[in-house]
Amino acid sequence: MKVSDTGEFGFIDAIKLNTLSDETTVVKGIGDDCAVYRATPEYDQLITTDMMVRGIHFSEQTTAPFDVGYRLGTANISDIAAMGGIPRQAVVAVAMPADTDLGYMSAIFDGLKEVCHTYKVNLIGGDTVTTTGPLTLSVTLVGEVPKGQAVLRSGAQPGDLVVVSNTIGNSAAGLAVLLAQIKGFNFCKRAHQRPEPQIKLGQWLRQQGATALNDISDGLSSELHEIAKASKVNIEIKGMAIPLHEETKQAAQLLGVNPLDWALYGGEDFQLLGTVPQALGPLIEAHKDLHCIGQVTVGPGKVILYTDEEEALFLEPKGYDHFKTTDRMNIKE
Ligand code: ADP
Ligand code: MG
């Protein structure tokens, strides 16, 4: 059945069930002019939005409809994680071509609801229109953080340690093996298709006193630059310390690429990158899901990668081309 057969209200009826995960904060969900929700006293409110366009952000070739919805939810929830916050309420706006299949749309909503349930997010409203352009989906998500405690990008201090969560580059590895139609590598494929937002680690880092935090949506290099620029510091990282998953290393070897390129420039990992005071070093070391990859230093906002003891190079924010030799500098000089 096409959405043009069901009409706007038939569509809303089809997706409005099973949308609440934490009813205690919802006065009115889907079904009125506005949703009504309750904010927690003494908390600051966070709000973020993220949009996906068919043909630009996803395609049928590599992404099932369930995964489109899942990833849309993750992108938004991950932004709340990157403030050290708790995700709460979401609304979703959809522009659909008239010949869109209702089953396809329901599967997208199933994926979105699944990630919302996992992270206790309520889907409390939205808007539905038709378009002559490609299918477009936009989620706006409200979250909360204890008053004054949101972890900004601008707080990194010289001397702080640079920390990342879990392993980086798996999503790019997953996409590469999917495009090359290679069997196996299910960990990497899943990292690409159903990335998980790091809500618990974001809150833990805030509670421990993290000074800056970002989620890795555009690649580690880009996120490092955002913190360096916002905080007006340099960041120095050790290539050897960037945590890579065994499967990602194997995929890189098979495809003849440097796995660090996936970590630095791949993006969509939705892991966290943060800075913490040096005194937290032992705590980070003891934490199985967090890894120290470098240090914040005094400087004008540059990011320096040490490839080994001898050699360092300036990273570019984006579009970096396989360790361009012109960027190399000898740190002994
Ligand atoms: P109004 O015309 O008053 O803005 P609508 O008729 O557009 O309301 O929507 C009716 C109800 O369905 C509202 O509660 C709205 O939030 C909800 N809704 C509409 N589209 C969506 C969607 N894509 N996802 C979730 N809820 C939706
Ligand atoms: Mg109305």
Side-chain angles (χ1 to χ4, degrees), residues 10 13 65 68 91 98 127-128 131 137 155 162 198 208 213 226 228 239 261 269 290 293 305 325:
D13 280 345
V68 172
V91 292
D127 197 23
T128 304
T131 177
L137 300 142
V162 181
Q198 301 299 313
Q208 304 308 321
L213 202 54
E226 282 178 1
D261 280 346
D269 282 314
L290 294 172
I293 62 165
L305 172 75
T325 48

Coordinates of all heavy atoms in Angstrom, one line a residue, residues 10 13 65 68 91 98 127-128 131 137 155 162 198 208 213 226 228 239 261 269 290 293 305 325:
G10 N -4.3 8.3 8.0 CA -4.0 6.8 8.0 C -2.6 6.5 8.3 O -2.3 5.6 9.1
D13 N -2.0 7.1 12.1 CA -2.6 5.9 12.8 C -1.7 4.7 12.8 O -1.6 4.0 13.7 CB -4.0 5.5 12.2 CG -5.1 6.5 12.7 OD1 -4.8 7.2 13.7 OD2 -6.2 6.5 12.1
P65 N 15.4 -0.2 5.7 CA 14.5 0.9 6.3 C 14.6 0.9 7.8 O 14.6 2.0 8.4 CB 13.1 0.6 5.8 CG 13.2 -0.8 5.1 CD 14.6 -1.0 4.8
V68 N 17.6 2.8 8.8 CA 17.5 4.2 8.5 C 16.9 4.9 9.8 O 17.4 5.9 10.3 CB 16.6 4.5 7.3 CG1 16.3 6.0 7.2 CG2 17.3 4.0 6.0
V91 N 10.2 14.6 18.6 CA 9.2 14.8 17.5 C 9.9 14.5 16.2 O 11.1 14.7 16.0 CB 8.6 16.2 17.5 CG1 7.7 16.4 18.8 CG2 9.6 17.3 17.4
A98 N 4.5 10.8 -2.7 CA 3.2 10.1 -2.6 C 3.2 8.6 -2.9 O 2.4 7.9 -2.3 CB 2.2 10.8 -3.6
D127 N 5.2 15.9 12.3 CA 4.4 16.5 11.2 C 4.6 15.6 9.9 O 5.7 15.0 9.8 CB 4.9 17.9 10.9 CG 3.9 18.7 10.1 OD1 2.7 18.3 10.1 OD2 4.3 19.6 9.4
T128 N 3.6 15.5 9.1 CA 3.7 14.6 7.9 C 3.2 15.4 6.7 O 2.1 16.0 6.7 CB 2.7 13.4 8.2 OG1 3.1 12.8 9.4 CG2 2.8 12.5 7.0
T131 N 6.0 15.4 -0.7 CA 7.0 16.2 -1.4 C 7.2 15.6 -2.8 O 7.0 14.4 -3.0 CB 8.3 16.2 -0.6 OG1 9.3 16.9 -1.3 CG2 8.8 14.7 -0.4
L137 N 13.5 13.0 6.4 CA 13.1 12.7 7.8 C 13.9 13.6 8.8 O 15.1 13.7 8.6 CB 13.4 11.3 8.2 CG 12.7 10.2 7.4 CD1 13.6 9.0 7.2 CD2 11.4 9.7 8.1
G155 N 35.7 23.8 26.8 CA 36.3 23.8 28.2 C 37.6 23.2 28.3 O 38.2 23.1 29.4
V162 N 43.2 13.6 26.6 CA 42.2 13.4 25.5 C 41.7 12.0 25.5 O 42.6 11.1 25.5 CB 42.8 13.8 24.1 CG1 41.8 13.6 23.0 CG2 43.3 15.2 24.2
Q198 N 26.3 6.9 22.9 CA 27.0 6.5 24.2 C 26.5 7.3 25.4 O 27.3 8.1 26.0 CB 28.5 6.7 24.0 CG 29.1 5.8 22.8 CD 28.9 4.4 23.1 OE1 29.2 3.9 24.2 NE2 28.4 3.6 22.1
Q208 N 32.3 12.9 36.2 CA 33.7 12.8 36.7 C 34.4 14.2 36.5 O 35.5 14.4 36.9 CB 34.5 11.8 35.9 CG 34.0 10.4 36.0 CD 33.8 9.9 37.4 OE1 34.6 10.2 38.3 NE2 32.7 9.2 37.7
L213 N 33.4 17.8 25.5 CA 32.9 16.6 25.0 C 32.3 16.8 23.6 O 31.7 17.8 23.4 CB 31.8 16.1 26.0 CG 31.5 14.6 26.0 CD1 32.7 13.7 26.1 CD2 30.5 14.3 27.1
E226 N 37.2 20.6 16.3 CA 36.2 21.4 16.8 C 36.5 21.8 18.3 O 36.2 22.9 18.7 CB 34.8 20.6 16.7 CG 34.3 20.7 15.3 CD 33.0 19.9 15.2 OE1 32.5 19.3 16.1 OE2 32.5 19.9 14.0
A228 N 39.5 21.8 19.7 CA 40.7 22.6 19.7 C 40.4 24.1 19.4 O 40.9 25.0 20.1 CB 41.8 22.1 18.7
G239 N 49.0 8.3 17.3 CA 48.3 7.4 16.4 C 48.2 6.0 17.0 O 47.1 5.4 16.8
D261 N 42.9 5.9 8.8 CA 42.1 6.8 7.9 C 40.6 6.7 8.2 O 39.9 7.7 8.2 CB 42.4 6.5 6.4 CG 43.7 7.2 6.0 OD1 44.3 8.0 6.7 OD2 44.2 6.8 4.9
D269 N 30.7 7.1 13.7 CA 31.0 6.1 14.8 C 30.0 6.4 16.0 O 29.7 5.4 16.7 CB 32.4 6.2 15.2 CG 33.3 5.5 14.3 OD1 33.0 4.3 13.8 OD2 34.4 6.0 13.9
L290 N 37.0 3.3 28.0 CA 37.6 4.6 27.7 C 39.1 4.5 27.5 O 39.7 3.7 28.2 CB 37.2 5.6 28.8 CG 35.8 6.0 29.0 CD1 35.5 6.8 30.2 CD2 35.2 6.7 27.7
I293 N 44.1 9.0 24.4 CA 44.9 9.1 23.2 C 45.8 10.3 23.0 O 46.5 10.4 22.0 CB 43.9 9.0 21.9 CG1 43.0 10.3 21.9 CG2 43.1 7.7 21.9 CD1 42.3 10.5 20.6
L305 N 49.3 15.0 15.2 CA 49.2 13.5 15.3 C 50.7 13.0 15.3 O 51.5 13.3 14.4 CB 48.5 12.9 14.1 CG 48.6 11.3 14.1 CD1 47.7 10.7 15.1 CD2 48.2 10.9 12.7
T325 N 52.2 13.9 2.5 CA 53.6 14.1 2.9 C 53.9 15.6 3.1 O 54.8 15.9 3.9 CB 54.5 13.5 1.8 OG1 54.1 14.0 0.6 CG2 54.5 12.0 1.8

